[in-house]
Amino acid sequence: MRLNEARRDLYRRLAKEQGYKSRAAFKLIEANERYRFLREGGRVLDLGSAPGGWMQVSSELVGPTGIVVGVDISPVRLKEKNVVSIKMDINDPAVVTKVQEALGGKADVVLSDLSPTVTGVWELDQTRQVDLTLRSVELSRLLLKEKGGFFCKLFEGERAQEVRDEFRRRFKSVRVVKPSASRTASSELYYFCEVMKEVAGIP
Ligand SMILES: C[S@@+](CC[C@H](N)C(=O)[O-])C[C@H]1O[C@@H](n2cnc3c(N)ncnc32)[C@H](O)[C@@H]1O
């Protein structure tokens, strides 16, 4: 077995043992240990939330006084009391109002682990993932508090620089994260951005 497969298996096993719906949960745990963006009482918006691993981690960390709202085209079923799942496409304009109602205000943190159904044709998968990520930046502009944090996945490739430029245009601080639960050979990176900038001409 190759090292990457062994690592993936390890995190899959750990997720099962600890009751998480996905091994992705450990990527969020690791990033949060470093940047501490998930805090008690926080309002969290999770874009691309199915099957629910990140929602479970967020739910534990924000506790009963916080709230976690997840959006995905696939349904998410969790029994935690402080979570709300919205089954919707993030490109649907109605998502903004739905999320605002569910969150009860702007989010302290926006998470985005959005990924298209991969075809295996990297250029196509990457460009689709970039479009999803750009939409999550757009939703942050509308739904995230000025001093909030934005943690998101980005597929590396031709259009990645376009997204990094958008992060820098939108946020005062942009940091790259490569969680150990992410396969070393996979071309995905995570970014933690915080404190939104005012962009001239855009409300
Ligand atoms: C890697 S999974 C997320 C895993 C999740 N973070 C967890 O811990 O369980 C990516 C998700 O993005 C969702 N997704 C892709 N395109 C979407 C869209 N246009 N609107 C909403 N969700 C989308 C997929 O349905 C998929 O569930």
Side-chain angles (χ1 to χ4, degrees):
M1 191 189 287
R2 302 222 314 270
L3 184 63
N4 291 336
E5 287 165 24
R7 192 194 297 260
R8 203 168 37 194
D9 281 358
L10 167 72
Y11 283 107
R12 202 170 281 138
R13 188 159 45 78
L14 279 175
K16 205 171 167 196
E17 278 169 20
Q18 296 183 28
Y20 291 125
K21 301 257 181 191
S22 66
R23 66 183 171 87
F26 296 103
K27 302 180 192 176
L28 182 62
I29 290 171
E30 194 179 331
N32 188 61
E33 274 168 5
R34 194 149 155 207
Y35 295 115
R36 306 268 166 209
F37 45 88
L38 293 167
R39 301 192 191 106
E40 209 173 325
R43 287 191 184 121
V44 180
L45 170 61
D46 183 16
L47 301 170
S49 53
W54 283 20
M55 288 184 78
Q56 289 174 298
V57 171
S58 303
S59 160
E60 279 165 24
L61 290 165
V62 301
T65 56
I67 181 154
V68 182
V69 175
V71 182
D72 204 293
I73 42 179
S74 297
V76 176
R77 289 183 194 89
L78 295 175
K79 47 180 182 330
E80 285 77 356
K81 290 208 172 86
N82 58 351
V83 306
V84 177
S85 286
I86 300 173
K87 188 174 166 298
M88 205 173 205
D89 191 316
I90 58 149
N91 294 304
D92 185 333
V95 80
V96 175
T97 315
K98 277 262 182 196
V99 168
Q100 274 167 340
E101 281 169 10
L103 272 179
K106 286 201 167 184
D108 296 289
V109 181
V110 173
L111 309 173
S112 165
D113 198 19
L114 286 155
S115 179
T117 306
V118 286
T119 62
V121 179
W122 185 252
E123 293 71 21
L124 184 61
D125 296 340
Q126 201 253 344
T127 201
R128 286 182 177 162
Q129 206 275 335
V130 160
D131 287 337
L132 290 168
T133 306
L134 290 173
R135 174 67 175 153
S136 68
V137 177
E138 172 68 9
L139 289 173
S140 296
R141 184 177 69 75
L142 301 167
L143 295 164
L144 180 63
K145 285 182 185 166
E146 188 199 328
K147 292 196 173 147
F150 175 66
F151 178 63
C152 89
K153 172 159 73 189
L154 175 63
F155 280 8
E156 267 307 310
E158 210 174 313
R159 293 182 62 207
Q161 192 54 44
E162 182 190 326
V163 184
R164 281 189 285 269
D165 290 345
E166 185 62 10
F167 289 160
R168 292 203 177 89
R169 205 165 74 92
R170 290 282 174 198
F171 293 94
K172 291 187 179 157
S173 159
V174 177
R175 280 168 286 193
V176 67
V177 189
K178 177 80 184 170
S180 45
S182 181
R183 283 172 292 148
T184 39
S186 82
S187 295
E188 63 175 30
L189 286 175
Y190 285 80
Y191 287 83
F192 177 62
C193 310
E194 58 185 340
V195 188
M196 285 196 289
K197 288 181 187 171
E198 277 184 33
V199 179
I202 301 178

